[in-house]
């Protein structure tokens, strides 16, 4: 029977079910305010009609109270609006659960990019041996990052999981009970999470999702592509940032780093213990049960009596499992071998660390720390640095730092940040001793712009009594200027004999991180993506010149504006001029739950990442090469877009608009993540210190999504006016990379809704600025239609567009309440006699309305 189109499968399995279950949900009697569930659909209808009639959010809210309430008091109005917010948050959860439950039906789990498709395609083309060779060296590394915008507490995550299961089984009585539970369970965190809280939250996904999905993928590859032979490659590595990412987060301490590493070890041991108990029920013959029992007891003792038990090493566990496997094959006809091999494979993938805990700090902090170290050690007469070190040229400082030796004692330093930075390096050594080298072997330098930035960090590491560190130093190039010189920085480094000696000991591999989020914030959408593409080409070329295997680690957020959107298409679109032996990327916020939150979605998206790498390697990707003319067109588009964005960013109203008309400052008030919303403690808003998450998120809450499209329309218009639009069309036709960028930008436009804030164009101070944004939106939309031939946004992805449309529709009343509250705050702030309590109520309303929109967008920050 022919498979129905994806949009039909979506409508039947997601939209129809949501309409049914939502009608049950809004009639459940679980709140103290009567008729909230009945009133919310009426409010939504007033919102829809109001925007059609070009009314502003204040008029819409007041119309609703006039139509459906009998002259309520202010407190009654506020209580009802807060209750609406709570209802809408739960409607988003309901829709998430339904969409997750339908994932394997809506998506083709054996379609293009999946393992089955990859294998069949390789077989058909006679490239199976090439595929096997590539899989022996290729790896993917999704890294779960700190500051998750996914705010659900553990109690709610449990309900979502159970709701997903009940919906799959069409268990209506259970669904009704779970919806009632959902209605009564608190969403809002009263206190800001600590980095350890964030780590525990994300470890839930490692324990319950990644552990199983990664194991399933590895087993499939071993059994169906390698036909049972051992695959000498762990293939899937997991990275982990909560507890290790210190960049601008004063709450990450050495104690927390060590505590998170301990939690990761304990969790993976518990998972192995569960699996070995299942094995014990199957392998009940010969003397194998005794051998399994020895391993079972050792695992139990090591997570339950960790302080007193004899430490279990990874080698002891693996050797014990291999010994059982040998006997199983030799004497028991390989009975239940698949079950045993599954555990062996998981131990190979996850070791005793589960996910590699990356440590990250800003280059400016390292410089400050090193200056303090120089001054203090010279004062103590330790003769580590020359007395005149600070007056040396940068080149001379690099030379001194490259050959430095010593062992610093953190306790001798008075400065907190100096002591903490040195302690963090000693913590890495401790974690490696306890959990294995893979547990923490990467030190990332944010804001890296020079060779000195890298050498300063490398020197600090070696000054912790670590002459030959088993640690990779990873520069992170973020801003457009830093990206442009990144290859020169790395060439200088490759010519540094001491650093090259370090690379030889590390297998001649150099990981380089590139920041999409801050790149977009700094240079706009097109320039950030093109700047990173060009930097990767230049870094690949210079690394190949020095026989260094470069590995790119992409710092991506959820939305297209931060390198998100369709990442699998992005990686498949890279050509042979960019090294592709590994795909490493950060996965952030609600993107973790939306792309990797269930076994099905996690397996599918991990397979898609593997498929993207394989497709780029094994298909004839000469088509991904830019012709000279196409490269010139792309460069010109990026340059025009960059200048347009920079001019916009330099507009005198740019920062004031964000500060006064958006939700920017409320990200800091919401207890979403442990990290402050900006790097400095300054009261004034400084663009350089502003984090990408609140920056991009604020545009998303405004439904303006500026970072995902601003400058694109203007760049296209220049070609149109010159009569050269055919050049852009040629680029679009020939370049998968450019098509992916355009597709992701369309997603940003799809999630925009300017009617929400059109009242701002009447504002005396910000009206003209709002017009600038709106004009660029209209221009970009018109020219993208002209470029693609579409008559509506995301026309080529109807199911994806349908999902966005429903989500945007669910949160429309929420956004209306948010804008209503923002306008009230603006009006009250103009009144000297305004009651501070009234301002506090509306500020709380804005803060509370952030969450539902963040989660509905699924990739808004």
């Amino acid at each position: 029977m022919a498979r129905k189109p994806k949009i039909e499968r979506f409508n039947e399995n997601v939209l129809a079910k949501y309409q049914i279950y939502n009608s049950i949900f809004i009639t459940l009697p679980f709140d103290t305010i009567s008729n909230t569930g009945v009133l919310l659909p009426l409010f939504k209808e007033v919102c829809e009609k109001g925007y059609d009639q070009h009314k502003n959010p204040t008029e819409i809210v007041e119309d609703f109270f006039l139509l459906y309430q009998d002259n309520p008091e202010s407190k009654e109005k506020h209580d009802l609006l807060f209750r609406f917010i709570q209802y809408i948050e739960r409607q988003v959860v309901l829709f998430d659960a339904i969409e997750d439950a339908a994932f394997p039906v809506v998506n083709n789990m054996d379609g293009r990019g999946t393992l089955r498709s990859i294998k069949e395609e390789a077989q058909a083309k006679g490239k199976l041996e090439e595929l096997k060779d590539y899989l022996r060296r290729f790896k993917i590394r999704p890294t779960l990052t700190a500051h998750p915008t996914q705010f659900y507490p553990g109690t709610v995550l449990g309900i979502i999981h159970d709701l997903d299961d009940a919906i799959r089984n069409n268990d209506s009585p259970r669904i009704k009970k779970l919806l009632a539970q959902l209605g009564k369970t608190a969403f809002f965190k009263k206190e800001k999470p600590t980095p350890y809280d964030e780590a525990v939250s994300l470890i839930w996904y490692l324990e319950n999702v990644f552990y199983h999905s990664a194991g399933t993928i590895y087993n499939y590859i071993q059994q169906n592509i390698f036909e049972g032979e051992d695959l000498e490659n762990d293939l899937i590595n997991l990275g982990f940032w909560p507890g290790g990412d210190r960049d601008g987060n004063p709450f990450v301490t050495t104690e927390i780093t060590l505590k998170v590493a301990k939690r990761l070890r304990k969790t993976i041991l518990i998972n192995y213990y569960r699996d070995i108990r299942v094995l014990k029920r199957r392998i009940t013959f010969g003397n194998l049960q005794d051998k399994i029992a020895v391993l079972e007891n050792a695992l139990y003792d090591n997570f339950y009596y960790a302080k007193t038990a004899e430490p279990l090493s990874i080698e002891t566990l693996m050797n014990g499992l291999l010994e059982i496997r040998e006997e199983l094959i030799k004497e028991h006809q390989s009975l239940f071998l698949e079950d045993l091999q599954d555990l062996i494979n998981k131990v190979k993938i996850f070791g005793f660390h589960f996910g590699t805990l990356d440590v990250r700090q800003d280059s400016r902090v390292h410089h400050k720390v090193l200056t303090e170290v120089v001054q203090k050690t010279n004062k103590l007469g330790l003769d580590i640095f020359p007395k005149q070190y600070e007056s040396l040229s940068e080149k001379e400082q690099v030379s001194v730092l490259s050959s430095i030796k010593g062992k610093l004692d953190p306790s001798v330093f008075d400065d907190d940040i100096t002591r903490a930075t040195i302690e963090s390096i000693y913590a890495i050594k401790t974690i490696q001793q306890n959990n294995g080298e893979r547990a923490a072997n990467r030190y990332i330098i944010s804001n890296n712009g020079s060779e000195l930035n890298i050498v300063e960090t490398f020197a600090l590491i070696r000054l912790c009594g670590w002459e030959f560190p088993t640690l990779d130093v990873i520069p992170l190039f973020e801003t457009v200027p830093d990206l442009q010189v990144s290859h020169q920085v790395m060439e200088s480094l490759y010519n540094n004999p001491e650093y090259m000696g370090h690379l030889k000991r590390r297998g001649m591999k150099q990981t380089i991180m590139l920041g999409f989020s801050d790149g977009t914030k700094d240079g706009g959408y097109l320039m950030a993506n093109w700047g990173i593409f060009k930097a990767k080409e230049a870094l690949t070329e210079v690394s190949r010149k020095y026989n260094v295997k470069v590995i790119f680690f992409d710092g991506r957020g959820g939305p297209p504006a931060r390198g998100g959107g369709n990442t699998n298409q992005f990686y498949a679109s890279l050509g042979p001029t960019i090294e592709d032996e590994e795909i490493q990327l950060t996965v952030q916020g609600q993107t973790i739950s939306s792309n990797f939150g269930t076994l099905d979605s996690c397996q599918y998206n991990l397979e898609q990442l593997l498929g993207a790498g394989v497709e780029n390697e094994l298909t004839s990707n000469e088509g991904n090469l830019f012709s000279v003319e196409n490269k010139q067109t792309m460069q010109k588009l990026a340059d025009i877009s960059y200048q347009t964005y920079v001019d916009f960013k330099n507009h005198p109203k740019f920062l004031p608009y964000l500060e006064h008309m958006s939700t920017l400052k409320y990200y800091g008030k919401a207890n979403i993540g442990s990290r402050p919303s900006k790097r400095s403690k300054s009261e004034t808003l400084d663009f350089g210190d502003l984090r990408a998450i609140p920056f991009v998120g604020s545009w998303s809450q405004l439904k303006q999504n500026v970072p995902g499209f601003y400058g694109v329309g203007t760049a296209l218009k220049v070609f149109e006016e010159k009569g050269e639009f055919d050049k852009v069309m040629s680029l679009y036709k020939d370049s998968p990379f450019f098509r992916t960028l355009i597709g992701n930008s369309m997603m940003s436009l799809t999630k925009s809704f300017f009617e929400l804030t059109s009242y701002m164009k009447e504002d005396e101070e910000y009206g003209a600025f709002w017009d600038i944004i709106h004009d660029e939106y209209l221009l970009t939309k018109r020219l993208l239609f002209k470029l693609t031939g579409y008559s509506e946004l995301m026309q080529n992805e109807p199911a994806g567009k349908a999902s966005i449309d429903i989500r945007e529709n669910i949160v429309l009343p929420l956004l209306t309440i948010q804008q209503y509250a923002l306008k009230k705050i603006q009006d009250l702030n103009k009144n000297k006699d305004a009651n501070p309590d009234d301002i506090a109520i509306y500020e709380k309303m804005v803060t509370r309305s952030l969450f539902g929109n963040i989660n509905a967008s699924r990739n808004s920050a």
Side-chain angles (χ1 to χ4, degrees):
M1 195 171 91
R3 190 177 173 87
K4 290 180 179 178
K6 189 173 181 179
I7 184 64
E8 282 188 35
R9 301 197 303 273
F10 176 86
N11 288 337
E12 286 177 13
N13 295 279
V14 179
L15 177 57
K17 284 189 177 181
Y18 174 72
Q19 289 166 343
I20 293 165
Y21 294 134
N22 185 49
S23 64
I24 296 170
F25 172 69
I26 60 173
T27 57
L28 290 172
F30 52 66
D31 63 65
T32 52
I33 299 172
S34 59
N35 296 326
T36 308
V38 176
L39 290 169
L40 180 56
L42 298 173
F43 179 54
K44 186 162 166 255
E45 189 182 353
V46 171
C47 291
E48 289 168 354
K49 285 181 179 175
Y51 290 120
D52 285 344
Q53 294 164 9
H54 308 295
K55 291 186 176 180
N56 65 48
T58 304
E59 290 170 328
I60 288 168
V61 172
E62 286 171 355
D63 281 355
F64 167 76
F65 283 117
L66 201 63
L67 279 167
Y68 296 108
Q69 298 281 280
D70 186 17
N71 196 24
E73 298 287 327
S74 289
K75 186 179 183 309
E76 290 176 277
K77 285 184 182 181
H78 298 153
D79 286 348
L80 184 57
L81 292 176
F82 275 115
R83 183 57 69 180
F84 281 164
I85 291 169
Q86 291 173 305
Y87 261 75
I88 295 162
E89 284 173 345
R90 286 152 179 79
Q91 285 179 314
V92 172
V93 170
L94 174 60
F95 187 78
D96 278 351
I98 292 166
E99 197 164 39
D100 286 344
F103 190 92
V105 180
V106 174
N107 295 278
N108 186 352
M109 300 297 282
D110 293 319
R112 186 169 180 79
T114 61
L115 290 173
R116 182 173 171 179
S117 165
I118 290 164
K119 184 200 171 188
E120 288 174 355
E121 199 171 327
Q123 273 180 325
K125 292 179 178 177
K127 289 188 173 184
L128 197 55
E129 286 307 313
E130 284 181 61
L131 172 62
K132 287 164 76 172
D133 181 58
Y134 186 60
L135 290 174
R136 286 188 186 102
R137 52 192 165 84
F138 178 63
K139 296 178 194 287
I140 59 171
R141 183 195 290 264
T143 296
L144 309 190
T145 67
H147 202 319
T149 45
Q150 166 59 271
F151 73 98
Y152 297 137
T155 48
V156 176
L157 281 174
I159 298 169
I160 294 170
H161 183 269
D162 294 343
L163 198 52
D164 177 337
D165 182 61
I167 290 165
R168 284 173 194 255
N169 294 307
N170 290 315
D171 187 344
S172 296
R174 188 167 168 231
I175 291 167
K176 192 169 181 179
K177 278 188 175 181
L178 288 167
L179 289 175
Q181 182 188 358
L182 186 69
K184 286 180 172 290
T185 303
F187 275 39
F188 187 59
K189 289 179 177 175
K190 291 180 181 175
E191 294 180 1
K192 210 173 182 64
T194 67
Y196 184 71
D197 294 334
E198 290 178 330
V200 170
S201 246
L202 294 190
I203 288 170
W204 186 92
Y205 292 99
L206 296 184
E207 179 181 5
N208 294 288
V209 185
F210 282 93
Y211 179 77
H212 304 287
S213 297
T216 300
I217 289 170
Y218 196 95
N219 295 342
Y220 182 93
I221 289 171
Q222 185 181 51
Q223 290 161 22
N224 293 279
I225 296 176
F226 286 84
E227 296 177 340
E229 70 175 88
D230 277 343
L231 170 60
E232 295 302 320
N233 179 16
D234 48 14
L235 202 65
I236 299 170
N237 299 155
L238 297 178
F240 202 78
W241 274 19
D245 181 11
R246 294 167 171 266
D247 179 18
N249 192 340
F251 307 111
V252 177
T253 62
T254 305
E255 183 188 2
I256 281 180
T257 303
L258 292 168
K259 196 175 170 186
V260 170
K262 195 178 284 186
R263 179 70 177 238
L264 284 163
R265 175 187 165 95
K266 180 179 179 179
T267 307
I268 192 61
L269 292 182
I270 290 171
N271 276 28
Y272 293 156
Y273 175 75
R274 288 174 185 146
D275 278 4
I276 214 158
R277 282 182 63 81
V278 173
L279 267 180
K280 193 179 172 186
R281 291 179 64 186
R282 298 284 170 266
I283 301 174
T284 53
F285 34 84
N287 67 342
L288 292 182
Q289 195 165 43
D290 293 338
K291 291 184 177 182
I292 289 173
V294 169
L295 297 178
E296 176 195 6
N297 292 334
L299 283 167
Y300 182 82
D301 290 346
N302 269 258
F303 70 75
Y304 199 81
Y305 301 109
K307 290 182 180 176
T308 56
E310 184 180 338
L312 173 67
S313 71
I314 185 82
E315 292 77 20
T316 302
L317 177 61
M318 184 60 93
N319 290 337
L321 292 170
L322 291 174
E323 191 181 315
I324 294 166
R325 183 176 74 169
E326 189 180 343
E327 195 169 324
L328 204 61
I329 295 168
K330 199 172 176 182
E331 297 183 22
H332 301 288
Q333 297 79 47
S334 300
L335 191 58
F336 296 117
L337 179 61
E338 301 87 1
D339 303 72
L340 176 64
Q341 189 63 50
D342 172 56
L343 181 54
I344 290 170
N345 290 343
K346 285 170 178 168
V347 174
K348 188 184 287 186
I349 296 168
F350 302 116
F352 274 14
H353 63 285
F354 217 157
T356 299
L357 189 62
D358 290 346
V359 172
R360 180 173 76 133
Q361 186 54 281
D362 193 289
S363 64
R364 292 165 293 191
V365 172
H366 293 143
H367 182 72
K368 181 176 178 292
V369 166
L370 192 83
T371 303
E372 166 79 6
V373 168
V374 170
Q375 292 170 355
K376 189 73 175 180
T377 54
N378 281 343
K379 190 177 176 183
L380 293 171
L382 298 179
D383 293 328
I384 294 174
F385 295 89
K387 292 281 187 286
Q388 76 285 11
Y389 173 81
E390 289 180 75
S391 63
L392 296 175
S393 69
E394 189 168 311
K395 190 175 180 182
E396 289 168 330
Q397 287 183 346
V398 166
S399 178
V400 169
L401 292 171
S402 297
S403 54
I404 212 91
K405 287 182 183 176
K407 187 169 183 181
L408 301 174
D409 177 359
S411 66
V412 305
F413 296 97
D414 304 317
D415 183 64
D416 289 344
I417 195 74
T418 301
R419 197 166 53 251
T421 302
I422 295 166
E423 283 176 352
S424 73
I425 297 165
Y426 282 107
I428 293 169
K429 293 174 78 173
T430 302
I431 293 165
Q432 287 194 6
Q433 286 161 11
N434 294 338
N435 297 5
E437 190 206 304
R438 287 194 296 162
N441 61 5
R442 293 149 56 95
Y443 198 113
I444 298 159
I445 310 162
S446 300
N447 233 318
N448 198 98
S450 69
E451 182 191 2
L452 182 63
N453 293 155
I454 302 168
V455 176
E456 282 181 336
T457 309
F458 189 48
L460 285 170
I461 291 166
R462 295 192 335 280
L463 283 171
C464 292
W466 212 350
E467 189 177 352
F468 302 121
T470 49
L471 182 66
D472 296 323
V473 180
I474 302 174
L476 164 52
F477 299 101
E478 300 179 82
T479 66
V480 172
D482 286 350
L483 287 166
Q484 288 169 344
V485 299
S486 59
H487 62 292
Q488 294 165 7
V489 170
M490 295 313 296
E491 182 153 31
S492 299
L493 204 61
Y494 294 154
N495 279 306
N496 183 316
E498 284 76 15
Y499 191 80
M500 185 53 88
H502 168 69
L503 283 184
K504 284 174 182 172
R505 289 188 293 275
R506 300 297 290 163
M508 289 299 278
K509 287 188 174 183
Q510 173 66 56
T511 303
I512 297 172
M513 190 172 180
L514 301 155
F516 282 79
S517 303
D518 282 285
T520 305
K521 175 177 155 256
D522 178 59
Y525 179 69
L526 279 186
M527 179 55 91
N529 282 276
W530 180 237
I532 287 172
F533 185 93
K534 285 202 308 173
K536 283 185 176 181
E537 280 195 323
L539 288 163
T540 297
E541 186 180 350
V542 75
S543 299
R544 286 173 179 171
K545 177 181 167 185
Y546 289 90
N547 295 314
V548 174
K549 180 68 72 176
V550 68
I551 294 157
F552 295 117
F553 178 23
D554 292 330
R556 293 174 171 276
R562 298 186 58 226
N566 194 322
T567 51
N568 306 324
Q569 278 182 10
F570 174 86
Y571 286 113
S573 73
L574 302 178
T577 55
I578 291 176
E579 201 68 74
D580 64 347
E581 199 149 290
E582 293 193 24
I583 290 177
Q584 299 191 7
L585 73 162
T586 54
V587 187
Q588 189 152 6
Q590 72 276 30
T591 314
I592 295 168
S593 57
S594 60
N595 286 2
F596 301 96
T598 66
L599 293 172
D600 290 320
S601 64
C602 184
Q603 182 177 331
Y604 180 83
N605 283 299
L606 288 176
E607 286 190 26
Q608 288 290 316
L609 275 180
L610 284 165
V614 170
E615 185 177 337
N616 197 31
E617 174 74 11
L618 297 186
T619 58
S620 175
N621 56 14
E622 296 300 316
N624 292 353
L625 279 168
F626 282 89
S627 68
V628 174
E629 188 178 27
N630 280 343
K631 203 162 197 173
Q632 288 171 348
T633 303
M634 185 70 231
Q635 185 63 55
K636 203 168 184 179
L637 285 168
D639 287 340
I640 299 164
S641 172
Y642 177 59
Q643 193 53 55
T644 306
Y645 178 79
V646 169
D647 291 345
F648 174 66
K649 198 172 68 174
N650 291 334
H651 192 289
K653 294 300 177 192
F654 181 83
L655 280 178
Y657 180 82
L658 274 176
E659 193 168 11
H660 301 297
M661 306 300 279
S662 84
T663 58
L664 181 66
K665 66 181 180 183
Y666 298 95
Y667 273 81
K669 295 182 180 185
N671 295 321
I672 294 173
S674 72
R675 197 167 67 180
S677 57
K678 55 182 184 174
R679 284 182 169 90
S680 76
K681 294 178 182 177
S682 166
E683 289 298 314
T684 57
L685 183 60
D686 179 79
F687 185 78
D689 287 328
L690 190 57
R691 294 247 176 224
I693 288 174
F695 175 73
V696 174
S698 296
W699 291 113
S700 172
Q701 296 279 338
L702 281 168
K703 289 294 148 193
Q704 292 175 0
N705 290 318
V706 159
F709 71 82
Y710 200 91
V712 176
T714 298
L716 293 172
K717 189 184 176 193
V718 169
F719 278 82
E720 183 185 48
E721 288 176 341
K722 286 185 176 179
E724 296 180 344
F725 203 75
D726 58 313
K727 289 183 179 179
V728 186
M729 295 188 83
S730 172
L731 174 65
Y732 183 76
K733 177 176 167 287
D734 296 342
S735 169
F737 173 79
F738 185 60
R739 283 199 301 275
T740 302
L741 291 192
I742 293 300
N744 284 340
S745 192
M746 273 199 173
M747 189 188 291
S748 292
L749 293 170
T750 304
K751 293 183 177 184
S752 299
F753 179 58
F754 277 82
E755 282 296 329
L756 179 72
T757 56
S758 61
Y759 71 91
M760 292 181 187
K761 66 184 172 186
E762 307 302 329
D763 188 274
E764 209 171 291
E765 188 174 355
Y766 297 109
F769 188 74
W770 185 91
D771 280 334
I772 291 170
I773 302 167
H774 187 232
D775 289 346
E776 183 68 16
Y777 162 79
L778 293 174
L779 179 66
T780 305
K781 190 173 170 182
R782 176 179 74 78
L783 289 172
L784 287 191
F785 285 162
K786 181 176 179 177
L787 177 63
T788 59
Y790 298 165
S791 56
E792 61 176 38
L793 294 168
M794 292 181 69
Q795 191 172 311
N796 61 328
E797 296 181 68
K801 186 176 188 303
S803 176
I804 289 170
D805 288 346
I806 295 165
R807 290 173 177 280
E808 296 297 316
N809 191 256
I810 291 170
V811 295
L812 184 64
L814 184 73
L815 293 164
T816 304
I817 293 168
Q818 184 184 87
Q819 286 299 319
Y820 165 77
L822 280 168
K823 188 71 173 70
K824 285 285 186 186
I825 293 164
Q826 290 159 20
D827 293 344
L828 286 166
N829 282 333
K830 290 173 187 172
N831 181 359
K832 290 179 183 177
D833 301 322
N835 186 341
D837 291 343
D838 290 340
I839 295 173
I841 286 168
Y842 289 117
E843 286 189 336
K844 184 182 177 184
M845 203 175 282
V846 173
T847 306
R848 287 292 288 113
S849 64
L850 291 175
F851 306 121
N853 188 36
I854 285 170
N855 285 288
S857 294
R858 285 212 139 176
N859 64 357
S860 67

